[in-house]
Amino acid sequence: MIARLFSKTLCLSLLLCGSCLVPPAAHAAASAPTVAQPEAPLQATLPNGLRVVIVPDRLAPVVSTEINYLVGSATAPAGFPGTAHALEHMMFRGSKGLDRDQMAAIGARLGGDYNADTTENVTQFFYTAPADNLDVLLRIEAMRMKGLTLAAGDWTHERGAIEQEVSRDLSSPGYVYLARLQSILFAGTPYEHDALGSRPSFDRTDTALLRRFYRQWYAPNNAILVITGDIDAARTLAMVRDTFGPIPSRKLPARPQIHPGTVHAQTLQFPTDYPVGLVAIASRMPGQNSRDYATARILSDVLSSQRGALYDLVPQGRALLSSFDFVTKADAGIGIAIAAFPKGSNPAPLQARMQDILRNLREDGVPSDLVDAARRKELAQLGFAANSISGLAESWSEAQAVMGLQSPDDEAAAFAAVTPEDVNRLARTVLDPQQSITAILTPRDGGHPVADKGFGGAESFASTPDHPVTLPRWANDSLLALRPPEASVQPARYTLPNGLHLIVRPASVSHTINLYGTIRQNEDMQEPPGKEGIADITNELFNYGSTTHDRVGLQKAFDDIAASENAGADFSLNVLTPDFDGGLELLAENELHPALPEQGFKVVRANTAASLSGLLHSPEYLFQRAMQGAVSPAGDPSLRQAQPDEVMKLTLADCRAFWKAAYRPDLATIVITGDITPAAAYRAVSRTFGAWRASGPMPVVDLPPRPDSHTSVMKVPDPSSTQATVSLPESLSLNVANPEHFALNLGNEILGSGFSSRLYRDLRVRSGYVYTVRSHLTWKRHRSAYSISFGADPDKVAAARDAAIHDIMAMQAQPVSEDELAMARAGMLRGLALQSASLDTIAAGYLHFSDLGLPLNQNDIAAQAYYTLDATAIRDAFRKWIRPADLAEIIKGPATAP
């Protein structure tokens, strides 16, 4: 239940019947998948030592590159734990022949995802872009590999931003706990510090140290390049040889060895700003390059199984939530059993019960049927990798760069070989209570938001004039020309006689089928007065089985076919192709005939009330609540809030009445993607969901239009935070049906969306005020919102806020430059195309358009708008709809925040 409550909190932010039936003609034809054997991956090693993996995937005309440098924080110089992290940041600051502005411009024009991450052993840089632009991605990575600039001025600016990242993470109680845990479990080894680094070490870091580290480790013979997507393997390998071949190899330093010593049991105490308390019992686990890693994954799955004793704490009413998390690293891992208790409660009984569960598993062994289920699950999950082009690159990168395997197939073989005896042997070792670290994370009040006069004296912030960025010829030739948008292939669409909408998008990239469904609901509009909270309780009760199978029996049925399933207002099924029919029948059984048991209702109701008691006083909730209140008038339905004492008055009859009124086919949409034909999908859904009938009149689920909001200031104290989190929101009176919203979207791409935006440039790159900053447009059927959000040290909040307002006003003062417009247009158009690079994002897009009442070809409509809009239209839209003077200010952070 607590997960649902966290989700609801986030929603307060400004985001925003038989098998022989013949299907009617679909509204749009979608070709049946032709199941083909996947093309064989191509692996090679260049003479300079660069290892190359090329994996074709024909899901979409998209390519992902992921270059893995086999270096991370474990090889950092003594006293400088964040060196690898710092160098990761500087890889985006320019190299010989490609300065930082050109790199940002290229990233904007590509329209894809580009970023990086640093772990203890590997630093990864990844791009996803249209397949036609693969040459650009390869050139960028080659130039960064052979000639990073590492200018002192660039490091000065980037150091400010990276220190903001440190402040952000240190503001998270979860991060503070994990950092302390890691320091204990791996004391005396390079794993003692995580990959983030510390502010003191960054203050002492200079470009000479970074350059030395770069020359030691950033070499082709210390890298693995993975390329996946709609590519020709042989031609791609030739491109890689031409681009990376001339870069010389280097002699690599010796790598540190990780040999942790003995751990002695101890208990830690942490205050948090969480709405609930947590008991965490942690143990050291095998790493990803260990022969026991597959066994450790299976053990982790067994411990987190919904049929297991740890999860059973929740339906027993002993815990608000429970799980087992496996934090993986190359040379070692951490396993953490976690359970939540209500704020103000004594954690000792829960802690004792968790210790009993772990001791029993260690002494008596784990259930063999759960081992079998976990093994099937892990093998099935590997089959879903091809459903995402970037996910496929990640899968191969993990196998080769982290686990030291030749391919994910080796990982599959390792899982297939795991036996219950292997799992029991490992459990006896890692679940030793004499070597476990227990932590009690206790919630404390963050206070209540208080009205404020606003920021202090405004700091003058002079804007640096915009300037056109001249791209290198090789990039310009690949990125400059934009063809007029072409209509995309549309899915098959059906409406069943009961009103259910079915959308089918076939794809033959794997032998898997994915189903995603949603029932349009809005508890703010649908919960009867005085019954607040009944929607969440009803949704949670879908976890308690159906009228045919109890909770454990239903989960076992899904485990037997290695399917992942969720039921409720949002429901899903991920299953291998041969088991789709059986999985769909089980999903329909759960969705249409939930048990809604009396005992389960009492447990969920009590857990909901207990969770609310802490949630309503947590800083994050108060922050989200303040944001919603700043843009909504008094008495708005969106401000309704369940109270613990009122929740305890709800009855099972209330739950059944809400389920009967709100769960109905004429408000439901199902999207099916993967290895299935539209006709087969229609027959299967008709057979399983066709008898579903609506009860009573269709409810009103959309919030009504709201008036323009006005400026206000609110502060939310958060003693656990060292960094201020800031939101500047306002309501908008236009909605998603108004075509002028396209001009705002395109302008927002220039102002505050991504690494090349004006806000990112002015608040991070040039000033180091913030680590992250974005502006957001949220679209609903009848109401919308705009906001800017950033995180900063308290003494930098005022300057960052003034700089953001300055950038908004500049958008209204004059048209954006042609260079900015060209980059934004290219980025938006290519970004729309990239949404087809994952079956998950394809389905999410269809559900999103359905929820907004938009046509399924909305991306085609948007592409045409972005292709034709000019700079004057963007300026005029910002003048008409964005109101800088009405932006509210909500600040969550330490009491010293201005």
Side-chain angles (χ1 to χ4, degrees):
M1 186 62 222
I2 189 65
R4 172 77 171 176
L5 288 171
F6 277 130
S7 175
K8 178 174 171 59
T9 301
L10 293 176
C11 288
L12 291 175
S13 66
L14 300 176
L15 301 176
L16 291 150
C17 297
S19 60
C20 61
L21 286 175
V22 178
H27 294 294
S31 59
T34 301
V35 178
Q37 293 298 319
E39 298 175 54
L42 175 61
Q43 300 193 50
T45 301
L46 304 190
N48 61 9
L50 177 67
R51 292 158 58 186
V52 185
V53 180
I54 302 169
V55 188
D57 187 323
R58 306 302 175 189
L59 177 60
V62 171
V63 65
S64 280
T65 63
E66 189 160 333
I67 190 161
N68 305 266
Y69 289 95
L70 307 185
V71 59
S73 62
T75 52
F80 295 88
T83 302
H85 185 199
L87 192 57
E88 172 214 310
H89 280 243
M90 294 302 290
M91 289 281 278
F92 293 91
R93 280 289 186 165
S95 53
K96 186 177 180 179
L98 187 68
D99 65 35
R100 65 174 186 264
D101 292 331
Q102 290 173 322
M103 181 171 287
I106 290 172
R109 287 179 185 261
L110 284 171
D113 295 325
Y114 65 101
N115 213 319
D117 63 65
T118 303
T119 66
E120 286 81 1
N121 296 84
V122 179
T123 304
Q124 301 173 313
F125 300 87
F126 35 88
Y127 274 87
T128 299
D132 291 344
N133 302 129
L134 174 60
D135 60 324
V136 175
L137 308 187
L138 296 180
R139 280 197 183 244
I140 290 173
E141 297 299 0
M143 297 175 84
R144 297 201 287 196
M145 179 184 285
K146 67 183 179 183
L148 203 61
T149 304
L150 290 172
D154 287 340
W155 170 239
T156 298
H157 285 295
E158 195 61 31
R159 177 166 51 204
I162 202 172
E163 288 181 347
Q164 293 296 325
E165 181 181 5
V166 173
S167 292
R168 179 199 64 182
D169 286 350
L170 289 176
S171 297
S172 165
Y175 172 80
V176 173
Y177 158 65
L178 286 174
R180 176 67 177 135
L181 179 62
Q182 188 161 329
S183 72
I184 295 172
L185 293 177
F186 307 115
T189 77
Y191 275 13
E192 185 173 10
H193 304 284
D194 79 347
L196 180 66
S198 65
R199 295 187 73 144
S201 70
F202 289 132
D203 287 339
R204 293 183 285 110
T205 298
D206 58 21
T207 53
L209 184 149
L210 294 175
R211 185 169 287 107
R212 185 163 56 250
F213 191 80
Y214 170 72
R215 288 174 175 169
Q216 286 177 325
W217 296 106
Y218 277 67
N221 51 313
N222 195 42
I224 301 172
L225 174 62
V226 177
I227 306 171
T228 60
D230 189 16
I231 48 179
D232 177 90
R235 188 179 303 120
T236 298
L237 180 59
M239 292 173 62
V240 173
R241 292 185 189 277
D242 290 343
T243 308
F244 289 87
I247 304 174
S249 62
R250 299 193 189 118
K251 183 179 179 180
L252 302 172
R255 299 182 188 276
Q257 299 297 309
I258 310 297
H259 298 297
T262 302
V263 177
H264 299 287
Q266 59 180 291
T267 300
L268 310 174
Q269 300 283 343
F270 292 91
T272 80
D273 58 3
Y274 294 152
V276 298
L278 297 173
V279 176
I281 302 176
S283 305
R284 217 158 46 203
M285 297 275 280
Q288 289 172 281
N289 58 19
S290 167
R291 293 180 60 182
D292 272 334
Y293 175 66
T295 303
R297 280 274 291 272
I298 297 296
L299 173 60
S300 175
D301 290 342
V302 169
L303 289 170
S304 60
S305 170
Q306 293 190 25
R307 296 159 56 199
L310 190 62
Y311 180 86
D312 202 40
L313 292 171
V314 178
Q316 290 175 358
R318 297 172 182 260
L320 302 179
L321 64 81
S322 63
S323 67
F324 187 87
D325 295 339
F326 187 12
V327 182
T328 59
K329 304 175 187 297
D331 293 304
I334 305 174
I336 311 174
I338 302 174
F341 59 90
K343 181 179 179 180
S345 297
N346 180 8
L350 178 59
Q351 178 183 348
R353 181 59 187 143
M354 293 172 66
Q355 291 169 335
D356 287 343
I357 290 171
L358 296 177
R359 181 175 57 253
N360 291 339
L361 289 170
R362 181 172 184 260
E363 295 177 355
D364 301 335
V366 300
S368 60
D369 62 329
L370 293 187
V371 173
D372 294 339
R375 186 170 52 238
R376 286 192 296 269
K377 171 190 171 184
E378 292 292 352
L379 291 170
Q381 288 304 310
L382 291 173
F384 285 89
N387 294 346
S388 165
I389 290 174
S390 61
L392 190 61
E394 182 180 350
S395 176
W396 275 84
S397 292
E398 179 176 309
Q400 292 223 345
V402 181
M403 302 178 69
L405 305 176
Q406 284 299 305
S407 77
D409 289 343
D410 293 341
E411 191 175 357
F415 285 131
V418 174
T419 67
E421 291 73 23
D422 294 329
V423 178
N424 288 330
R425 171 183 52 80
L426 184 63
R428 287 191 294 270
T429 300
V430 301
L431 300 182
D432 183 358
Q434 300 304 313
Q435 299 189 56
S436 64
I437 306 299
T438 301
I440 309 298
L441 287 77
T442 306
R444 65 181 179 187
D445 278 345
H448 297 279
V450 294
D452 192 77
K453 295 180 179 179
F455 292 102
E459 179 179 4
S460 174
F461 190 87
S463 174
T464 302
D466 293 330
H467 63 279
V469 178
T470 302
L471 297 181
R473 182 175 179 179
W474 52 268
N476 201 61
D477 290 347
S478 181
L479 298 173
L480 183 62
L482 282 178
R483 295 185 294 269
E486 298 180 1
S488 59
V489 176
Q490 292 299 298
R493 292 173 291 169
Y494 308 96
T495 299
L496 272 63
N498 60 6
L500 184 148
H501 298 283
L502 173 63
I503 302 167
V504 187
R505 186 358 177 122
S508 60
V509 292
S510 71
H511 292 288
T512 64
I513 298 175
N514 308 283
L515 180 150
Y516 302 92
T518 187
I519 302 168
R520 295 194 67 232
Q521 286 185 12
N522 186 336
E523 62 265 36
D524 296 328
M525 299 296 293
Q526 292 177 268
E527 288 179 329
K531 306 295 183 181
E532 288 83 2
I534 197 63
D536 284 343
I537 291 175
T538 304
N539 198 75
E540 183 70 14
L541 279 175
F542 281 87
N543 293 325
Y544 284 73
S546 69
T547 54
T548 302
H549 291 87
D550 64 14
R551 179 184 69 82
V552 174
L554 185 60
Q555 185 59 50
K556 182 181 185 306
F558 284 114
D559 285 348
D560 288 344
I561 57 174
S564 299
E565 181 260 6
N566 285 294
D570 297 306
F571 51 97
S572 64
L573 174 70
N574 305 105
V575 66
L576 300 175
T577 301
D579 297 309
F580 176 69
D581 285 342
L584 185 62
E585 289 178 1
L586 290 170
L587 171 65
E589 174 190 315
N590 194 9
E591 189 71 19
L592 306 186
H593 307 286
L596 304 179
E598 178 72 39
Q599 183 57 36
F601 171 79
K602 291 179 179 179
V603 170
V604 173
R605 181 182 61 183
N607 285 354
T608 300
S611 301
L612 278 169
S613 296
L615 180 71
L616 298 182
H617 299 283
S618 66
E620 181 60 28
Y621 171 81
L622 295 172
F623 180 63
Q624 300 289 343
R625 184 76 171 172
M627 291 168 57
Q628 185 65 39
V631 299
S632 301
D636 190 73
S638 67
L639 300 178
R640 296 177 66 186
Q641 175 57 61
Q643 298 295 327
D645 55 343
E646 295 300 317
V647 164
M648 290 303 297
K649 298 176 183 177
L650 297 173
T651 67
L652 181 59
D654 295 327
C655 174
R656 293 185 179 277
F658 183 84
W659 170 73
K660 186 176 182 180
Y663 286 77
R664 45 192 300 141
D666 50 357
L667 288 175
T669 300
I670 290 176
V671 177
I672 298 178
T673 63
D675 185 21
I676 192 169
T677 66
Y682 179 85
R683 287 194 297 269
V685 172
S686 295
R687 183 178 65 252
T688 51
F689 284 84
W692 188 12
R693 292 291 180 265
S695 176
M698 184 179 292
V700 176
V701 299
D702 293 311
L703 289 164
R706 61 187 171 190
D708 287 345
S709 59
H710 299 290
T711 187
S712 61
V713 177
M714 198 69 70
K715 289 185 177 180
V716 179
D718 185 357
S720 299
S721 177
T722 62
Q723 186 184 68
T725 300
V726 182
S727 179
L728 311 175
E730 68 180 3
S731 64
L732 298 181
S733 53
L734 84 165
N735 59 38
V736 72
N738 188 324
E740 290 186 67
H741 89 276
F742 292 123
L744 289 180
N745 282 344
L746 189 56
N748 191 61
E749 181 76 5
I750 297 167
L751 175 62
S753 179
F755 295 141
S756 62
S757 69
R758 290 185 179 186
L759 289 175
Y760 189 87
R761 175 197 67 194
D762 292 339
L763 276 69
R764 172 170 171 169
V765 176
R766 291 178 175 170
S767 65
Y769 291 151
V770 306
Y771 174 64
T772 57
V773 59
R774 293 188 74 88
S775 54
H776 312 263
L777 285 158
T778 304
W779 305 110
K780 300 293 184 182
R781 290 198 182 199
H782 302 299
R783 54 172 60 180
S784 306
Y786 170 74
S787 66
I788 294 174
S789 60
F790 59 85
D793 284 345
D795 62 349
K796 294 182 174 66
V797 167
R801 181 264 183 192
D802 290 342
I805 296 296
H806 181 279
D807 281 350
I808 295 175
M809 296 178 70
M811 294 287 296
Q812 299 174 321
Q814 58 186 9
V816 298
S817 69
E818 286 302 315
D819 188 63
E820 287 179 304
L821 178 59
M823 284 195 295
R825 178 180 290 131
M828 294 291 277
L829 290 174
R830 289 190 171 98
L832 289 172
L834 291 175
Q835 291 181 20
S836 62
S838 162
L839 291 183
D840 285 348
T841 57
I842 289 171
Y846 293 152
L847 288 176
H848 180 62
F849 296 148
S850 177
D851 181 62
L852 293 178
L854 297 173
L856 296 184
N857 68 335
Q858 179 70 8
N859 279 348
D860 293 343
I861 298 171
Q864 191 61 43
Y866 299 146
Y867 187 75
T868 56
L869 281 167
D870 60 21
T872 300
I874 293 172
R875 180 203 62 191
D876 292 347
F878 266 74
R879 282 179 174 176
K880 181 177 180 180
W881 299 109
I882 306 299
R883 313 179 312 280
D886 282 340
L887 288 170
E889 301 168 5
I890 298 95
I891 312 161
K892 180 177 74 73
T896 55

